[in-house]
Amino acid sequence: MEPDELGVRERGILALERRGFVGPGAKERAIREELGLAPVRYYQLLNALLDDERALAHDPVTVNRLRRVREARRSER
């Protein structure tokens, strides 16, 4: 893997964020089953990924959408 490429786990997190989930708990279940992560850890990694330029280069649509959501939540506080 090149130093400027995302790892398997990071690409998996972004792929999971591109999907839609129906019903309560579906996303959390997918996080545990597919990535083997606790949801709290998943969201910590996701938040760090949103500030990673490699993630932006890999999936600009998803990263920019999630950055907008994060900014909106921060401004609500």
Side-chain angles (χ1 to χ4, degrees):
M1 177 174 70
E2 296 293 320
D4 59 344
E5 289 182 13
L6 292 175
V8 173
R9 181 168 66 179
E10 289 82 6
R11 289 193 308 267
I13 289 170
L14 290 174
L16 199 121
E17 283 299 317
R18 281 192 299 270
R19 291 169 35 196
F21 293 94
V22 181
K27 184 175 185 178
E28 285 72 19
R29 191 166 39 256
I31 290 168
R32 290 182 194 281
E33 292 174 2
E34 296 173 26
L35 300 175
L37 294 170
V40 170
R41 182 66 181 140
Y42 170 85
Y43 288 110
Q44 289 171 338
L45 292 168
L46 175 61
N47 198 44
L49 259 181
L50 296 184
D51 297 323
D52 189 329
E53 291 304 313
R54 297 172 305 160
L56 183 62
H58 178 76
D59 191 346
V61 173
T62 301
V63 171
N64 282 322
R65 176 178 56 83
L66 293 170
R67 283 179 175 178
R68 285 191 303 273
V69 169
R70 180 175 69 177
E71 234 7 82
R73 287 190 180 140
R74 283 181 177 165
S75 65
E76 289 173 3
R77 294 180 188 163

